[in-house]
């Protein structure tokens, strides 16, 4: 059965058409998927552009199954709404929608015969998901502070700015962040940086640049910056061990996959603390940094659903590791 795989993040969308024998016969890339900002139909229009190009390359109008891993599909009710919207486009009557964290998880699970494990994705935000071969999953809402989340690149940037502002005006403890952050933007003080951010002279999207500055400051030994990095490691391990416990995997030999730009950068302090804490709390867990493309995970999830044999999984995986 032909599978249409979609991995849609906030900034870009990857689409692949996988034939029944595992050959990738069509592929395309499109824009970001942001239904909270533009609405469901407008967001799906962005997917439709990339899907249309991939199907045209494959010489198809429809497929047997759609496997879509989508950013902002954070709750089951959102997954159902998005699945209905994709089904209405006529690409297939068989549609599965999952949060995009599952794409990273499935791509990194090299054990295709019985995929099991947990993934933590730390990019702009932070999320975690786990799965078992029988279809059971563990997940978090991951919609911000109201669901208990802390960190990610965006969260770290906000924390770094908060501590730096308070250090400069005297409300908080000293930190080199009060010099390093404005210097990164070519400014001489936190007051100048606060003004530039507030008045829009520095675009909002550039705030993410504060996270690498935080890690560099931490590497220089600054206690405040190091404390934030340690807290990020603590959050990653807390999410992963909770997911492992929910799936009865806390004492099992399973991978804990680390994905997203923050974790993939392998900052020594962050990476070492995550591994040390995991070794203490889940001694048999195998932490791995995910390097595979998430669209591979969407494709493999689709192949799992249609019952494709291991040889087909292997062929798709080989296509994305060339």
């Amino acid at each position: 059965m032909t599978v249409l795989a979609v991995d849609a993040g906030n900034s870009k969308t990857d689409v692949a058409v996988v034939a029944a024998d595992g050959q990738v016969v069509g592929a395309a890339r499109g824009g970001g998927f942001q239904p909270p900002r533009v609405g469901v139909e407008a967001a799906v229009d962005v997917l439709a552009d990339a899907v249309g190009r991939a199907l045209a390359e494959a010489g198809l109008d429809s497929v047997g199954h759609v496997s879509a891993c989508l950013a902002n599909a954070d709750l089951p009710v959102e997954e159902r709404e998005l699945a209905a919207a994709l089904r209405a486009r006529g690409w297939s009557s068989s549609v599965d929608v999952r949060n995009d964290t599952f794409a990273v998880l499935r791509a990194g699970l090299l054990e295709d015969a019985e995929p099991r494990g947990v993934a933590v994705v730390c990019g702009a935000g932070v999320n975690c998901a786990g799965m078992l071969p029988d279809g059971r999953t563990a997940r978090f809402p991951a919609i911000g502070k109201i669901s208990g989340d802390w960190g990610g690149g965006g969260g770290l940037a906000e924390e770094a700015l908060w501590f730096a502002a308070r250090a400069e005006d005297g409300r908080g403890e000293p930190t080199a962040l009060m010099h390093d952050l404005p210097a990164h933007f070519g400014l001489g003080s936190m007051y100048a940086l606060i003004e530039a951010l507030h008045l829009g002279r520095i675009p909002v999207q550039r705030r993410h640049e504060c996270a690498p500055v935080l890690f560099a400051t931490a590497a220089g030994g600054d206690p405040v910056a190091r404390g934030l990095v340690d807290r990020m490691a603590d959050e990653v391990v807390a999410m992963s061990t909770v997911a492992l416990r929910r799936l009865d995997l806390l004492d099992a030999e399973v991978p804990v996959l680390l994905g997203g730009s923050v974790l993939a950068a392998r900052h020594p302090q962050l990476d070492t603390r995550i591994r040390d804490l995991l070794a203490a709390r889940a001694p048999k867990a195998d932490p791995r940094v995910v390097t595979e493309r998430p669209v591979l995970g969407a494709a493999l999830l689709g192949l799992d659903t249609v019952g494709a044999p291991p040889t087909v999984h292997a062929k798709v995986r080989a296509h994305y590791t060339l």
Side-chain angles (χ1 to χ4, degrees):
M1 181 182 292
T2 306
V3 169
L4 173 66
V6 180
D7 169 62
N10 282 293
S11 60
K12 64 177 176 60
T13 295
D14 275 329
V15 176
V17 181
V18 181
D21 65 355
Q23 182 179 355
V24 177
V25 293
R29 174 165 286 188
F33 184 73
Q34 300 183 21
R37 186 173 68 85
V38 303
V40 169
E41 288 306 315
V44 175
D45 285 342
V46 175
L47 299 188
D49 173 69
V51 168
R53 287 184 279 118
L55 288 174
E57 182 180 341
L60 298 171
D61 295 318
S62 62
V63 295
H65 178 68
V66 175
S67 172
C69 295
L70 309 178
N72 302 297
D74 297 308
L75 303 173
V77 64
E78 293 172 316
E79 291 177 341
R80 291 192 294 270
E81 180 183 15
L82 290 166
L86 266 59
R87 200 174 293 113
R89 297 298 173 119
W91 301 323
S92 176
S93 59
S94 174
V95 176
D96 279 339
V97 168
R98 303 176 188 233
N99 181 267
D100 57 343
T101 304
F102 282 96
V104 176
L105 169 61
R106 188 62 184 87
L109 291 177
L110 306 180
E111 302 80 3
D112 288 325
E114 289 194 328
R116 72 182 69 217
V118 165
V120 181
V121 178
C122 189
V126 62
N127 202 350
C128 175
M131 66 181 295
L132 293 174
D134 63 10
R136 284 183 291 157
T137 63
R139 59 186 296 177
F140 297 84
I143 51 179
K145 285 197 172 182
I146 63 170
S147 60
D149 307 324
W150 186 90
L156 288 172
E158 292 297 317
E159 292 288 334
L161 288 165
W162 189 87
F163 277 98
R166 293 173 67 88
E168 182 173 89
D169 67 22
R171 287 177 292 174
E173 59 188 298
T175 172
L177 290 167
M178 65 181 256
H179 304 297
D180 295 350
L181 287 172
H184 172 78
F185 294 97
L187 299 172
S189 68
M190 275 304 298
Y191 185 91
L193 177 55
I194 292 163
E195 180 181 276
L197 289 169
H198 178 65
L199 298 177
R201 292 198 292 267
I202 296 175
V204 172
Q205 57 267 31
R206 289 196 64 193
R207 291 193 187 193
H208 75 274
E209 297 174 22
C210 296
V213 176
L214 167 66
F215 281 102
T217 304
D222 181 79
V224 169
R226 291 186 65 82
L228 289 172
V229 173
D230 282 348
R231 185 176 175 187
M232 187 71 260
D234 295 348
E235 286 292 310
V236 168
V237 174
M239 295 184 91
S240 57
T241 52
V242 167
L244 288 168
R245 186 179 302 113
R246 288 178 181 173
L247 296 174
D248 296 321
L249 294 175
L250 198 56
D251 297 317
E253 295 181 1
V254 292
V256 172
L257 305 166
L258 308 174
S261 58
V262 173
L263 297 178
R266 306 192 78 158
H267 300 286
Q269 180 191 344
L270 180 65
D271 195 66
T272 298
R273 185 172 176 87
I274 288 171
R275 293 171 187 275
D276 288 347
L277 289 174
L278 274 176
R281 300 178 191 176
K284 295 182 180 180
D286 175 22
R288 307 176 189 165
V289 174
V290 180
T291 58
E292 292 82 2
R293 288 174 58 186
V295 70
L296 167 63
L300 293 172
L301 285 167
L303 295 175
D304 294 341
T305 298
V306 302
T311 53
V312 173
H313 287 74
K315 189 169 184 177
V316 177
R317 190 176 288 281
H319 174 87
Y320 284 103
T321 56
L322 293 177

